[in-house]
Structures are given as structure tokens and as C-alpha cells.
Amino acid sequence: MKAGTKLKSAVCDTEIMVIKAVPDGVAECGGAAMVAERGVSSDLDPAFSSGTIMGKRYVDDSGTVELLCIKPGKGSLALNGVALKVKDAKPLPSSD
């Protein structure tokens, strides 16, 4: 997985673009590894079914990986089996 790669979910409509990557990381959606081209679909894992939101960035706890959702779907994103969370927006500076 490298920055700039577009990946598609094998279990739902989710599509992502890799913004920041780790060399040995495997992006997953809905409990299945993401692929470059859709082929045979598998079943959505209920543990990873909270969905994705278009335009949101997903990161791991350490900030080593960042994925941009470019098409939403029913599966949730994970890296090597660990769920990713939505990246919070930076707060604007105070105008005081």
C-alpha cells in the first residue's frame, strides 16, 4: 500500500484513496482486504459494519496511516484488523 493508491471494498461500495501509508499495512473494509478492482464479493463482517462517510479521512491511533473515503459504503475501515477512526478537524485559532 502506498500513497496515491485507490482501493475498493470487496464487500460494499466503499472506495478510498491512500493519503499516508505504511509499507506492510493491509487496508480492510467490512472485514475483508480492499482490492484495486472489484471481483468476487464476500460477506460483510457485522463487527466492521458501521459504514464510511464520503470526504472523511480515517486514521489509526498513532497517525501512521491516513485514508480518504471517496465513495461511501456500509463497511467500516480497518488496518491489519484494527478499526480506524474519523480524523478530527483542526480547531480554528481564536479571534480574540
Side-chain angles (χ1 to χ4, degrees), residues 2 6-7 9 12-13 19 21 27-28 30 33 40-43 45-46 48 55 61 65-66 72 94 96:
K2 64 180 188 176
K6 290 184 180 179
L7 297 172
S9 173
C12 67
D13 293 333
I19 304 299
E28 300 172 356
V40 178
S41 66
S42 57
D43 294 329
D45 183 346
F48 294 98
D61 287 335
V65 68
E66 184 172 330
S94 175
D96 294 338

Side-chain angles (χ1 to χ4, degrees), residues 52-91:
T52 53
I53 304 169
M54 189 165 102
K56 293 293 182 182
R57 293 172 184 248
Y58 293 83
V59 295
D60 61 349
D61 287 335
S62 60
T64 57
V65 68
E66 184 172 330
L67 307 176
L68 173 64
C69 179
I70 55 177
K71 187 174 179 184
K74 294 180 180 178
S76 57
L77 298 174
L79 181 71
N80 297 332
V82 179
L84 300 178
K85 61 181 182 181
V86 176
K87 183 178 181 180
D88 294 328
K90 289 182 180 178

